Amino acid sequence: TPAPTPSPPPTLADDAWTRWAWTDGSRMNYVHGVGAVWERSEDAVAITFRNREEGESFTTVKGDAYWPAASFNIDAVLRAVGDRSGKGLAGIFYKTESGHEWDYWTNTFEVFVETAEPTPVPVTPAPPTLVPPTPAPTPSPPPTLADDAWTRWAWTDGSRMNYVHGVGAVWERSEDAVAITFRNREEG
């Protein structure tokens, strides 16, 4: 009998999260086994490994020390990164360097392969649209103090001072006025 034809390695999706392992609270589970070799796109510029539930991630970028070959084993890449901040390999609560697994937690381990952005096509900007200047608003006439009556110009509400026409308002008085008296109504 002829030898079976080996299956091609699983391919990581470009610009999308791919689950490679998970824990169910009692053991570690792998989509394609712990020793699986995965394929990544030649266009990849960054790869992020994350623990979705814990919110921990590690990113390697093209050209750095942890950048994997086009065919790679995720476990081997994370072992090369080593322990990060007491959170195990690559700091994502996956495994420790000694092999301890956080399999008693419920976690999903995912990988994201970011590909290069296409080169943008230069765009010639449209000429600017000329907008006529806005005319200055016509100023309002100043408020007028009533003759022979009290006019409220400010008050407090227990937390701050409030002004009827603003703190710097200019008021008009009658030409016949002989006196202006200010008072605090609550104090008499």
Side-chain angles (χ1 to χ4, degrees):
T1 55
T5 305
S7 302
T11 301
L12 294 169
D14 289 346
D15 302 310
W17 288 104
T18 301
R19 182 175 79 160
W20 95 82
W22 73 97
T23 58
D24 58 14
S26 64
R27 68 186 185 104
M28 185 69 74
N29 302 280
Y30 296 92
V31 174
H32 293 285
V34 70
V37 173
W38 292 80
E39 292 284 328
R40 66 157 174 80
S41 168
E42 289 294 332
D43 296 331
V45 295
I47 301 175
T48 299
F49 303 92
R50 80 171 177 186
N51 176 327
R52 187 173 63 201
E53 285 73 17
E54 296 302 316
E56 301 291 344
S57 64
F58 172 79
T59 301
T60 181
V61 295
K62 193 172 192 172
D64 78 10
Y66 306 112
W67 187 250
S71 297
F72 66 98
N73 175 270
I74 292 174
D75 216 59
V77 171
L78 299 180
R79 284 192 183 287
V81 174
D83 182 70
R84 294 282 172 109
S85 306
K87 299 175 184 178
L89 302 178
I92 63 170
F93 294 110
Y94 167 60
K95 291 181 180 180
T96 65
E97 290 175 327
S98 65
H100 167 78
E101 297 176 342
W102 277 276
D103 56 1
Y104 46 91
W105 293 0
T106 302
N107 291 312
T108 305
F109 299 99
E110 298 172 316
V111 59
F112 188 95
V113 177
E114 182 180 344
T115 58
E117 291 293 319
T119 305
V121 176
V123 177
T124 305
T129 304
L130 298 176
V131 178
T134 305
T138 305
S140 302
T144 303
L145 295 170
D147 288 342
D148 301 317
W150 290 104
T151 301
R152 179 171 137 171
W153 60 278
W155 75 98
T156 62
D157 60 10
S159 64
R160 65 186 180 101
M161 182 65 86
N162 300 284
Y163 298 91
V164 173
H165 292 284
V167 71
V170 175
W171 290 76
E172 293 272 327
R173 64 166 172 75
S174 165
E175 291 293 324
D176 299 331
V178 292
I180 298 176
T181 304
F182 297 93
R183 76 170 182 166
N184 180 332
R185 185 172 69 188
E186 279 72 28
E187 298 295 320

